[in-house]
Amino acid sequence: MAEQTHPQFIDETGTASPPAPVRKPRSTAPAPAFDALPRTMSRQNERTQSFLQTLDKPLMAVSGLLLAIGLMMVYSTTFDWSYSEWGNPAQKVLEQARNVGVGLVGLAIVIVFDYRRIRRLSVVILLGTIAALIAVLLFGDDVFNARRSLIGGSLQPGELAELAMIIYMAAWLSSKNTRVKSLTYGLLPFAALLGIISGLVVLQPDISTAVIIVGVSGVMFFLAGADLIQIGVIAGIAGIMGLLVVFGGGLGYAENRVGTFLDSITDITRADYQVFQAYVAFANGGWTGVGLGLSQQKFNNALPAPHTDSIFAIIGEEFGILGAAFVVLLYAIFVARGFTIARRTPDPFGALLAAGVTLWIISKALLNIAVMLALVPPTGIALPFISFGGSSMVTVLVGVGLILSVQRANNVREFAAERRGQRASADRSRGNGRTRLSSTGGR
Amino acid sequence: MAAQSEPASLQQETLRRRLPVVVAGLIVISIALVTRMVLFQAPRDPRLEAYLQAVRDANYSSTQRQTSARGIIYDRTGQRLAVNALQYRVGISANLVSDPDFMVQQLSTILNLDPLKVNEIVRSGVPYALLATNVDPQTYQQIAALNSVAIVAEQIPRRYYPQGSLAGQIIGFVAGDGDTFRGYNGIEGYYERELAGRTRQAEITINPLELPSDDAPEKGQDLVLTIDRDIQFLVESTLASAIESSGAVSGNIIVMDPMTGDILAMASWPPLDPNNIPLNDERLLRNPAISDIYEPGSVMKVITMAAALQAGAITPDWVYNDEGVYLVGGEEIRNWDGQAYGIVDAETVIVESLNIGASKIAVEALGRNAFYSYLTAFGFGSRTRVDLEGEQLGRLRIPGDETWSESDLGVNAFGQGMAVTPLQMLNAINAIANGGLLMQPRVVKQVIHGQEVTNIEPIFIRRVISEEVARQVTSMMVAAVERGLDGRASVEGYTVAGKTGTAEIPSPVGYVTGATIATFVGFLPADAPQVSILVKLDRPKTAIFASQTAAPVFQALAERLVTYLEIPTDEDRRYLVAEGGIVGALRP
């Protein structure tokens, strides 16, 4: 058996790691763990799998479409501001293109690096994130009464913390396997870890990021096999804690926001200024919108942050409810694909990672949209793929890179299995003993 | 084996089992969001709709007062009499500032403000905060060079009169701020609408996709006056020295072109500097040449004579016996020296300025109806409609008025018991000078509206007397200057027609003793007048009679004017006519 032949590739969960990550994408497909074909063998084979073929096309297509909509909307919302401030209407959209470029490089690096290696780095990543979160509390820049960024606003560890937490959660949860159910191995360490990270984030204060971290981690915990009773208890405690933090924790700004929010669900005129302006945008847009570029709310700061947090309202204004619903549909397709990949992944780490990242992106999207629709108290959350932003764009694309990396491993494995099946018959006719030997050895 | 059939660990099994739960949750949330979006389009409560519209209006437009540059006033030679001095009010929309540090540094340096204060304003985030008023154009240029959307600069109009007090009373002045900024008195007041242009209180779209509506504020129209700056200066200095030499308390001089009704100069003492308006004394702001009324005195005899001749009531060879006293309506009328002149003709009535003769003509020859209808035809009792704000209409009682009495007819004939403005008087004399036409006096001859220049034609009101009668009266006025004034109003080389008037000053309890208003009205050359001049001195101290005070002022002024206006002497004109030159200039 493979496990016995190559014990060095077997990790503690009992699933396989690859012998080597893909270094040269143009070379033939690397052998999956259980196969461990010699490289020379692969090169000789006439049927190979290119790097691009190993990537998941539906996921790339939907992400690309969202990115394109994002660039279009960023231009639509910033051309006037860019022109009056920098004399170039494309100033901001070019910055955004640069952000996308950096994000795509990150995405490519993650794919090439392979997610299974990242798993080994997950502890380092988490510790680094904790350090960055502490650093931001100590030396961060104050913007709008909050410390969220380092180095002049260019680095926001909050965004990083979300992704780091998901990676670590996937690694940790998969390593626990069925012990996740246990109180001492599962719930208590989970709660402690989550408490530390989200606590640091809340101190900034950045409640929306904390909510994302707690929510996504909680659902990952659930997916990894957490005990349902424990989940119920922890959800209850988290709910109470959340209410305490919001209403009793001395965070006046959050309390105010929540207060106006509760009134505004039924009476939109009592909503927060920004939220009401978003409502005006949707009202202007109607069903089909005023047309690309023709939004009025985006000008002169009528709707604050039209290119970042409020961009969904501008989509609603320019393309109407139908256009906005189409964007929601694209996110739904993204989620469907992300979860499909998670289901197809035999490796629990990969599955949890793909599910976690998908969940993370959709949570951000839904939270952003819910704020714009006055269903959730105002928070500063960017719309993934679409909002203008550096950290947000790069982390989201790195996240997509992780999902692609997971699916790439699946594709490579399936391709290898398929090829092996074909070759088994072909080789027999050709009498390629080595292949057969290896093949049988693999079985 | 593992590679082929994806070995499902227990954890993976759990994940697959539990994912649908998560998906279900996400679907519920998504449906909720889309439903909420759809509900946003549901029919809205009218109150909400109104509120929505108000928010939109506030977002997409702003109410701005767009002031237009006020029109410039030129004299007839193109000299500027009134211009705009630009000033700016600079504010900032702190919520639009993108680089506060830079902005604070620049603004405090350029505007010379306290950086701490500027910092506070710039970082306040308010939509508008005032930074500085009365910013001059050079400073404003520096501010504008910052090219920031956050800076709000508003032009504040300021009026400046480069000639100082010259023609100050004609021009009027501008006062007020914002909505109350407007012209008062004189041209500034009369032509407020034209000069102000179109100042808009408008909803301006601030949507960069929409072009601002093209009805931008319209620049005020420029005015070209009939006033000649040099003549005005000459008149003002002549008046000033006349006031000084005669000891008069005030006075006016008006110079007109009798043919067109153009006012070439119009000065009153004391002068008014429109750059420094004495807003606390309303009397000083007026233009006495059109707003102060006085008893015209003997100058009116010319009008009485013209009316009688035109009506055919008398002929130039009419004579009467002057007995020294004449009773009209129970009132005794005497001559200025109380003397009886015996048998005198019509011309002598003018030359010697005989009150009794004028009264007899009005009462016995002309009759009251004809007399007052001619007075009215000459423009007395109504405004001249000169294009200056603040004109008075004078005071003339006519038969039918309750206060009118028979004796009024007797005294009105020589200019008592009635009141006129200096301009009214000169305009009536112009009708004699120009051959019988009453013109509407004017000070604006051109309106410049962008590229479009509109010439204003002289306005002819009515023919009052025939050319024949005009010539007869003119020759009597020439005689008055030549025979009655010992050359005190004569100008060498020119025939001058004129008439003095020494009027007593009425008070509620009769006439003020020892105080007079001395006037001289004349024009030259008598046969083809180019200028007519009214000189009026109030309460001169050096002499009572106008022949000694006002007439010499006329003379001094006329001597300078014929040079300045290059009026050919009578001899030159006869020579030119003989040579076949400017025939039209001499009346046959």
Side-chain angles (χ1 to χ4, degrees):
Chain A
M1 289 302 285
E3 283 86 348
Q4 288 146 2
T5 345
H6 309 289
Q8 66 269 35
F9 300 130
I10 309 301
D11 66 18
E12 52 189 304
T13 62
T15 46
S17 302
V22 185
R23 279 202 195 81
K24 292 174 185 164
R26 296 301 301 168
S27 76
T28 52
F34 301 102
D35 213 15
L37 280 168
R39 270 171 196 283
T40 47
M41 186 63 245
S42 309
R43 276 196 206 98
Q44 285 167 358
N45 199 293
E46 69 274 20
R47 250 198 90 203
T48 56
Q49 198 178 19
S50 77
F51 178 72
L52 273 177
Q53 278 174 327
T54 63
L55 300 181
D56 189 58
K57 280 160 205 75
L59 193 75
M60 289 196 296
V62 73
S63 304
L65 197 48
L66 283 165
L67 282 175
I69 291 173
L71 285 171
M72 184 173 82
M73 291 316 295
V74 165
Y75 183 69
S76 170
T77 49
T78 58
F79 67 85
D80 177 50
W81 178 44
S82 296
Y83 183 72
S84 60
E85 280 288 318
W86 295 279
N88 174 11
Q91 175 73 24
K92 279 284 154 185
V93 80
L94 288 176
E95 280 177 34
Q96 177 74 343
R98 189 200 63 202
N99 293 336
V100 171
V102 172
L104 289 176
V105 169
L107 174 143
I109 289 172
V110 166
I111 294 172
V112 172
F113 193 72
D114 199 290
Y115 76 98
R116 283 161 291 201
R117 275 201 185 171
I118 289 173
R119 175 182 194 175
R120 292 175 192 155
L121 295 175
S122 62
V123 176
V124 179
I125 292 172
L126 187 77
L127 290 177
T129 301
I130 292 174
L133 286 175
I134 292 170
V136 90
L137 286 177
L138 295 179
F139 324 110
D141 312 308
D142 285 356
V143 178
F144 301 121
N145 298 320
R147 286 192 170 182
R148 291 179 184 176
S149 58
L150 281 170
I151 322 166
S154 56
L155 183 65
Q156 296 191 10
E159 306 268 5
L160 199 61
E162 293 170 355
L163 193 54
M165 190 64 182
I166 288 160
I167 294 169
Y168 185 79
M169 272 293 154
W172 182 76
L173 289 169
S174 58
S175 73
K176 291 288 170 285
N177 203 351
T178 50
R179 281 180 295 173
V180 167
K181 275 195 166 69
S182 111
L183 191 67
T184 47
Y185 283 96
L187 185 63
L188 288 184
F190 170 78
L193 183 62
L194 202 53
I196 291 168
I197 300 284
S198 57
L200 286 171
V201 174
V202 164
L203 282 178
Q204 289 186 2
D206 186 354
I207 289 187
S208 44
T209 297
V211 165
I212 294 281
I213 289 174
V214 171
V216 173
S217 304
V219 176
M220 284 175 76
F221 189 46
F222 165 75
L223 287 176
D227 186 67
L228 289 179
I229 295 163
Q230 286 177 7
I231 285 274
V233 170
I234 200 89
I237 292 171
I240 292 163
M241 290 291 283
L243 288 177
L244 281 178
V245 165
V246 166
F247 289 108
L251 296 167
Y253 96 102
E255 194 181 344
N256 277 343
R257 285 187 171 195
V258 173
T260 46
F261 156 70
L262 289 175
D263 295 329
S264 68
I265 289 186
T266 46
D267 179 5
I268 190 75
T269 60
R270 300 195 58 185
D272 180 273
Y273 172 81
Q274 179 177 3
V275 174
F276 188 78
Q277 293 295 350
Y279 171 73
V280 174
F282 285 110
N284 285 353
W287 287 99
T288 53
V290 295
L292 174 61
L294 297 177
S295 153
Q296 300 231 65
Q297 285 291 96
K298 66 193 179 194
F299 294 123
N300 302 304
N301 254 4
L303 171 60
H307 61 306
T308 58
D309 296 356
S310 308
I311 201 162
F312 187 75
I314 302 297
I315 293 174
E317 187 178 7
E318 298 197 343
F319 300 103
I321 299 308
L322 296 177
F326 177 69
V327 171
V328 174
L329 180 68
L330 289 181
Y331 283 115
I333 293 170
F334 180 86
V335 172
R337 193 60 200 166
F339 281 178
T340 305
I341 289 169
R343 283 178 63 88
R344 280 176 57 184
T345 308
D347 154 29
F349 171 66
L352 278 171
L353 188 65
V357 171
T358 307
L359 205 53
W360 170 58
I361 290 173
I362 190 63
S363 302
K364 283 159 79 91
L366 293 180
L367 194 56
N368 174 282
I369 295 171
V371 169
M372 286 294 108
L373 295 170
L375 288 171
V376 157
T379 55
I381 279 236
L383 191 60
F385 300 112
I386 294 180
S387 281
F388 180 89
S391 299
S392 153
M393 180 58 75
V394 173
T395 49
V396 164
L397 288 180
V398 165
V400 175
L402 289 172
I403 304 175
L404 287 173
S405 175
V406 170
Q407 175 62 4
R408 177 175 149 76
N410 294 341
N411 283 343
V412 168
R413 183 167 42 244
E414 281 164 20
F415 179 79
E418 189 189 328
R419 190 187 56 187
R420 200 161 39 242
Q422 285 175 354
R423 206 174 46 211
S425 50
D427 286 348
R428 267 176 219 111
S429 60
R430 284 186 202 164
N432 189 329
R434 282 179 72 186
T435 306
R436 189 165 53 232
L437 262 175
S438 181
S439 175
T440 39
R443 283 165 190 263
Chain B
M1 213 19 256
Q4 203 164 36
S5 63
E6 287 136 18
S9 70
L10 260 175
Q11 205 167 24
Q12 175 66 1
E13 288 291 333
T14 316
L15 185 128
R16 287 184 185 171
R17 210 170 49 245
R18 289 186 175 183
L19 258 182
V21 180
V22 177
V23 168
L26 291 175
I27 288 173
V28 168
I29 294 172
S30 303
I31 287 174
L33 294 183
V34 173
T35 309
R36 177 76 165 172
M37 278 196 277
V38 169
L39 286 177
F40 272 3
Q41 300 308 321
R44 276 179 279 270
D45 182 85
R47 284 210 322 267
L48 176 58
E49 188 64 63
Y51 180 65
L52 202 58
Q53 197 52 48
V55 171
R56 286 186 183 124
D57 289 345
N59 282 351
Y60 313 145
S61 62
S62 71
T63 305
Q64 285 182 2
R65 195 187 144 80
Q66 295 192 320
T67 44
S68 52
R70 202 171 168 85
I72 293 168
I73 302 175
Y74 300 96
D75 87 332
R76 70 186 305 141
T77 61
Q79 300 286 337
R80 285 185 294 185
L81 299 179
V83 295
N84 298 310
L86 285 184
Q87 285 196 328
Y88 295 86
R89 183 184 290 137
V90 176
I92 190 160
S93 298
N95 55 341
L96 299 180
V97 174
S98 54
D99 186 350
D101 294 328
F102 174 76
M103 201 58 103
V104 169
Q105 189 249 322
Q106 289 291 321
L107 288 177
S108 57
T109 314
I110 297 171
L111 295 172
N112 200 15
L113 295 169
D114 178 14
L116 289 176
K117 264 192 167 168
V118 177
N119 184 56
E120 195 177 306
I121 292 172
V122 168
R123 292 183 194 277
S124 63
V126 297
Y128 179 81
L130 181 67
L131 282 171
T133 50
N134 300 351
V135 175
D136 63 70
Q138 287 85 357
T139 313
Y140 169 72
Q141 285 305 318
Q142 289 176 272
I143 296 275
L146 295 178
N147 201 16
S148 164
V149 285
I151 288 173
V152 185
E154 202 183 331
Q155 202 175 311
I156 335 173
R158 284 276 179 271
R159 199 66 158 163
Y160 178 65
Y161 303 93
Q163 310 286 345
S165 68
L166 190 86
Q169 284 141 332
I170 302 170
I171 295 167
F173 58 95
V174 168
D177 189 14
D179 287 338
T180 62
F181 183 80
R182 60 152 291 165
Y184 296 90
N185 291 4
I187 292 160
E188 296 276 25
Y190 190 89
Y191 285 99
E192 166 63 21
R193 228 160 51 104
E194 287 81 357
L195 288 168
R198 205 165 35 154
T199 291
R200 294 197 312 152
Q201 184 84 34
E203 287 279 307
I204 311 293
T205 177
I206 50 176
N207 182 344
L209 296 178
E210 286 172 27
L211 284 174
S213 51
D214 58 352
D215 55 336
E218 204 171 82
K219 189 190 170 301
Q221 301 171 20
D222 298 339
L223 302 179
V224 178
L225 305 190
T226 60
I227 303 290
D228 184 306
R229 187 189 65 149
D230 296 343
I231 299 179
Q232 180 74 23
F233 178 76
L234 179 64
V235 163
E236 286 187 11
S237 52
T238 306
L239 179 63
S241 60
I243 295 285
E244 197 185 339
S245 63
S246 68
V249 294
S250 61
N252 325 88
I253 297 179
I254 305 173
V255 179
M256 290 178 77
D257 177 349
M259 294 300 176
T260 56
D262 287 2
I263 297 171
L264 301 178
M266 180 189 256
S268 299
W269 187 271
L272 171 73
D273 180 0
N275 288 322
N276 287 302
I277 293 299
L279 283 169
N280 48 359
D281 192 347
E282 199 258 333
R283 280 175 49 84
L284 289 175
L285 302 179
R286 292 186 296 188
N287 181 357
I290 56 167
S291 63
D292 278 8
I293 56 171
Y294 72 107
E295 286 204 354
S298 306
V299 178
M300 279 304 290
K301 287 168 188 159
V302 176
I303 306 297
T304 306
M305 183 63 70
L309 289 170
Q310 176 64 28
I314 60 166
T315 55
D317 51 1
W318 172 86
V319 289
Y320 82 102
N321 182 21
D322 192 313
E323 294 165 329
V325 181
Y326 181 56
L327 263 170
V328 182
E331 189 146 337
E332 284 185 0
I333 290 166
R334 291 168 193 278
N335 288 324
W336 59 276
D337 54 358
Q339 300 296 307
Y341 280 72
I343 306 290
V344 288
D345 62 3
E347 189 175 278
T348 311
V349 171
I350 300 298
V351 173
E352 297 293 338
S353 198
L354 300 176
N355 294 347
I356 292 172
S359 273
K360 269 188 189 286
I361 291 170
V363 176
E364 293 172 15
L366 199 50
R368 64 182 183 195
N369 289 346
F371 176 75
Y372 284 107
S373 68
Y374 274 103
L375 241 54
T376 310
F378 270 107
F380 295 105
S382 58
R383 292 186 174 87
T384 65
R385 295 164 70 194
V386 66
D387 44 354
L388 291 170
E389 192 176 272
E391 192 190 11
Q392 294 298 309
L393 45 65
R395 199 178 302 127
L396 177 67
R397 292 190 290 263
I398 58 171
D401 289 352
E402 262 178 46
T403 50
W404 184 84
S405 68
E406 193 68 25
S407 67
D408 279 342
L409 175 60
V411 298
N412 286 168
F414 55 92
Q416 281 190 4
M418 62 183 290
V420 300
T421 66
L423 182 64
Q424 238 174 5
M425 191 68 244
L426 183 59
N427 202 45
I429 295 297
N430 281 345
I432 293 163
N434 66 21
L437 307 178
L438 188 74
M439 305 299 292
Q440 182 172 308
R442 60 175 191 153
V443 289
V444 172
K445 66 169 193 169
Q446 241 173 24
V447 177
I448 301 171
H449 187 187
Q451 298 296 310
E452 188 186 327
V453 177
T454 312
N455 286 312
I456 297 176
E457 297 303 319
I459 298 172
F460 155 73
I461 297 177
R462 67 178 80 89
R463 174 168 284 283
V464 188
I465 53 173
S466 68
E467 283 192 33
E468 174 66 20
V469 171
R471 195 161 54 242
Q472 289 165 357
V473 177
T474 300
S475 71
M476 291 179 190
M477 290 171 74
V478 170
V481 171
E482 286 174 356
R483 285 166 41 206
L485 288 170
D486 296 333
R488 279 191 288 259
S490 302
V491 181
E492 204 185 331
Y494 300 87
T495 32
V496 174
K499 182 73 192 83
T500 53
T502 306
E504 291 169 282
I505 300 169
S507 78
V509 289
Y511 287 97
V512 180
T513 39
T516 56
I517 291 175
T519 52
F520 185 92
V521 183
F523 51 88
L524 79 164
D527 57 338
Q530 293 203 20
V531 280
S532 61
I533 301 169
L534 176 140
V535 176
K536 168 173 163 278
L537 296 172
D538 290 358
R539 307 176 194 224
K541 290 193 182 66
T542 51
I544 288 176
F545 294 108
S547 54
Q548 292 155 298
T549 52
V553 176
F554 169 87
Q555 185 185 38
L557 185 58
E559 279 173 349
R560 304 283 297 277
L561 279 178
V562 291
T563 316
Y564 179 76
L565 292 172
E566 296 173 354
I567 303 171
T569 60
D570 293 352
E571 206 174 314
D572 288 346
R573 281 187 299 139
R574 283 194 200 94
Y575 172 75
L576 283 167
V577 169
E579 294 287 302
I582 44 166
V583 182
L586 253 188
R587 252 179 263 171

Short mmCIF file of all heavy atoms in Angstrom, two decimals, chain A residues 112-133:
data_model
loop_
_atom_site.label_atom_id
_atom_site.label_comp_id
_atom_site.label_asym_id
_atom_site.label_seq_id
_atom_site.Cartn_x
_atom_site.Cartn_y
_atom_site.Cartn_z
N VAL A 112 1.12 28.54 -7.13
CA VAL A 112 2.39 27.87 -7.41
C VAL A 112 2.98 27.30 -6.13
O VAL A 112 3.53 26.20 -6.12
CB VAL A 112 3.36 28.89 -8.07
CG1 VAL A 112 4.75 28.29 -8.20
CG2 VAL A 112 2.83 29.31 -9.42
N PHE A 113 2.84 28.07 -5.07
CA PHE A 113 3.42 27.65 -3.80
C PHE A 113 2.72 26.40 -3.27
O PHE A 113 3.33 25.58 -2.60
CB PHE A 113 3.29 28.81 -2.81
CG PHE A 113 4.10 28.64 -1.58
CD1 PHE A 113 5.50 28.76 -1.63
CD2 PHE A 113 3.50 28.41 -0.35
CE1 PHE A 113 6.24 28.61 -0.49
CE2 PHE A 113 4.26 28.26 0.79
CZ PHE A 113 5.64 28.37 0.73
N ASP A 114 1.45 26.27 -3.61
CA ASP A 114 0.60 25.15 -3.20
C ASP A 114 0.09 25.31 -1.77
O ASP A 114 0.84 25.57 -0.84
CB ASP A 114 1.31 23.81 -3.34
CG ASP A 114 0.29 22.68 -3.35
OD1 ASP A 114 -0.31 22.43 -2.28
OD2 ASP A 114 0.06 22.11 -4.43
N TYR A 115 -1.22 25.12 -1.63
CA TYR A 115 -1.86 25.38 -0.33
C TYR A 115 -1.35 24.44 0.76
O TYR A 115 -1.36 24.76 1.93
CB TYR A 115 -3.38 25.28 -0.48
CG TYR A 115 -3.93 23.87 -0.57
CD1 TYR A 115 -4.46 23.25 0.57
CD2 TYR A 115 -3.91 23.17 -1.76
CE1 TYR A 115 -4.96 21.97 0.50
CE2 TYR A 115 -4.41 21.89 -1.83
CZ TYR A 115 -4.94 21.29 -0.70
OH TYR A 115 -5.44 20.03 -0.76
N ARG A 116 -0.88 23.25 0.36
CA ARG A 116 -0.45 22.29 1.37
C ARG A 116 0.83 22.74 2.07
O ARG A 116 1.07 22.40 3.21
CB ARG A 116 -0.27 20.91 0.73
CG ARG A 116 -1.61 20.24 0.50
CD ARG A 116 -1.53 19.15 -0.51
NE ARG A 116 -1.28 19.65 -1.85
CZ ARG A 116 -1.56 18.97 -2.96
NH1 ARG A 116 -2.08 17.76 -2.89
NH2 ARG A 116 -1.32 19.48 -4.14
N ARG A 117 1.60 23.52 1.36
CA ARG A 117 2.77 24.07 2.03
C ARG A 117 2.38 25.19 3.00
O ARG A 117 2.98 25.38 4.04
CB ARG A 117 3.71 24.68 1.00
CG ARG A 117 4.64 23.68 0.39
CD ARG A 117 5.78 24.48 -0.14
NE ARG A 117 6.71 23.66 -0.86
CZ ARG A 117 7.70 24.16 -1.57
NH1 ARG A 117 7.83 25.48 -1.66
NH2 ARG A 117 8.52 23.38 -2.18
N ILE A 118 1.37 25.94 2.54
CA ILE A 118 0.90 27.01 3.41
C ILE A 118 0.42 26.46 4.74
O ILE A 118 0.58 27.06 5.78
CB ILE A 118 -0.22 27.79 2.68
CG1 ILE A 118 0.41 28.61 1.55
CG2 ILE A 118 -1.00 28.70 3.64
CD1 ILE A 118 -0.56 29.29 0.66
N ARG A 119 -0.11 25.25 4.65
CA ARG A 119 -0.59 24.62 5.87
C ARG A 119 0.52 24.54 6.92
O ARG A 119 0.31 24.81 8.09
CB ARG A 119 -1.07 23.21 5.55
CG ARG A 119 -1.45 22.47 6.79
CD ARG A 119 -1.87 21.08 6.47
NE ARG A 119 -2.54 20.57 7.65
CZ ARG A 119 -3.12 19.40 7.69
NH1 ARG A 119 -3.17 18.65 6.60
NH2 ARG A 119 -3.70 19.00 8.77
N ARG A 120 1.69 24.21 6.45
CA ARG A 120 2.81 24.07 7.40
C ARG A 120 3.20 25.43 7.96
O ARG A 120 3.78 25.52 9.03
CB ARG A 120 4.03 23.45 6.70
CG ARG A 120 3.75 22.01 6.33
CD ARG A 120 4.89 21.44 5.55
NE ARG A 120 4.50 20.16 4.97
CZ ARG A 120 5.03 19.65 3.90
NH1 ARG A 120 6.01 20.27 3.28
NH2 ARG A 120 4.60 18.49 3.44
N LEU A 121 2.88 26.47 7.18
CA LEU A 121 3.24 27.82 7.64
C LEU A 121 2.14 28.45 8.48
O LEU A 121 2.26 29.59 8.92
CB LEU A 121 3.53 28.71 6.43
CG LEU A 121 4.73 28.33 5.57
CD1 LEU A 121 4.80 29.24 4.36
CD2 LEU A 121 6.01 28.44 6.38
N SER A 122 1.02 27.71 8.63
CA SER A 122 -0.16 28.36 9.22
C SER A 122 0.11 28.92 10.61
O SER A 122 -0.40 29.98 10.96
CB SER A 122 -1.33 27.39 9.25
OG SER A 122 -1.01 26.28 10.08
N VAL A 123 0.94 28.21 11.39
CA VAL A 123 1.24 28.71 12.74
C VAL A 123 2.02 30.01 12.65
O VAL A 123 1.74 30.98 13.34
CB VAL A 123 2.02 27.65 13.54
CG1 VAL A 123 2.41 28.21 14.90
CG2 VAL A 123 1.19 26.39 13.71
N VAL A 124 3.00 30.03 11.74
CA VAL A 124 3.81 31.24 11.56
C VAL A 124 2.93 32.40 11.13
O VAL A 124 3.03 33.52 11.64
CB VAL A 124 4.92 30.97 10.51
CG1 VAL A 124 5.75 32.21 10.31
CG2 VAL A 124 5.75 29.79 10.94
N ILE A 125 2.04 32.12 10.16
CA ILE A 125 1.14 33.17 9.66
C ILE A 125 0.30 33.73 10.80
O ILE A 125 0.14 34.94 10.95
CB ILE A 125 0.25 32.61 8.54
CG1 ILE A 125 1.09 32.28 7.29
CG2 ILE A 125 -0.86 33.59 8.18
CD1 ILE A 125 0.33 31.55 6.21
N LEU A 126 -0.24 32.83 11.61
CA LEU A 126 -1.10 33.29 12.70
C LEU A 126 -0.33 34.13 13.70
O LEU A 126 -0.80 35.20 14.12
CB LEU A 126 -1.73 32.09 13.41
CG LEU A 126 -2.77 32.52 14.45
CD1 LEU A 126 -4.06 32.91 13.76
CD2 LEU A 126 -3.02 31.43 15.48
N LEU A 127 0.87 33.66 14.07
CA LEU A 127 1.67 34.42 15.03
C LEU A 127 2.03 35.80 14.47
O LEU A 127 1.97 36.82 15.15
CB LEU A 127 2.93 33.65 15.41
CG LEU A 127 2.68 32.40 16.26
CD1 LEU A 127 3.99 31.64 16.53
CD2 LEU A 127 1.99 32.75 17.58
N GLY A 128 2.38 35.80 13.17
CA GLY A 128 2.69 37.07 12.52
C GLY A 128 1.49 38.01 12.56
O GLY A 128 1.63 39.22 12.80
N THR A 129 0.31 37.47 12.31
CA THR A 129 -0.90 38.30 12.32
C THR A 129 -1.15 38.87 13.71
O THR A 129 -1.49 40.05 13.86
CB THR A 129 -2.09 37.44 11.87
OG1 THR A 129 -1.82 36.96 10.56
CG2 THR A 129 -3.35 38.25 11.87
N ILE A 130 -0.98 38.01 14.73
CA ILE A 130 -1.18 38.49 16.11
C ILE A 130 -0.20 39.62 16.40
O ILE A 130 -0.57 40.66 16.96
CB ILE A 130 -1.03 37.34 17.12
CG1 ILE A 130 -2.21 36.37 16.95
CG2 ILE A 130 -0.98 37.86 18.55
CD1 ILE A 130 -2.09 35.11 17.79
N ALA A 131 1.04 39.44 15.95
CA ALA A 131 2.05 40.49 16.15
C ALA A 131 1.63 41.77 15.46
O ALA A 131 1.73 42.87 16.02
CB ALA A 131 3.40 40.02 15.62
N ALA A 132 1.13 41.65 14.22
CA ALA A 132 0.71 42.84 13.48
C ALA A 132 -0.47 43.53 14.15
O ALA A 132 -0.54 44.76 14.22
CB ALA A 132 0.34 42.44 12.05
N LEU A 133 -1.38 42.71 14.69
CA LEU A 133 -2.54 43.30 15.37
C LEU A 133 -2.11 44.06 16.62
O LEU A 133 -2.64 45.13 16.93
CB LEU A 133 -3.55 42.20 15.74
CG LEU A 133 -4.36 41.63 14.58
CD1 LEU A 133 -5.22 40.46 15.06
CD2 LEU A 133 -5.22 42.69 13.95
#
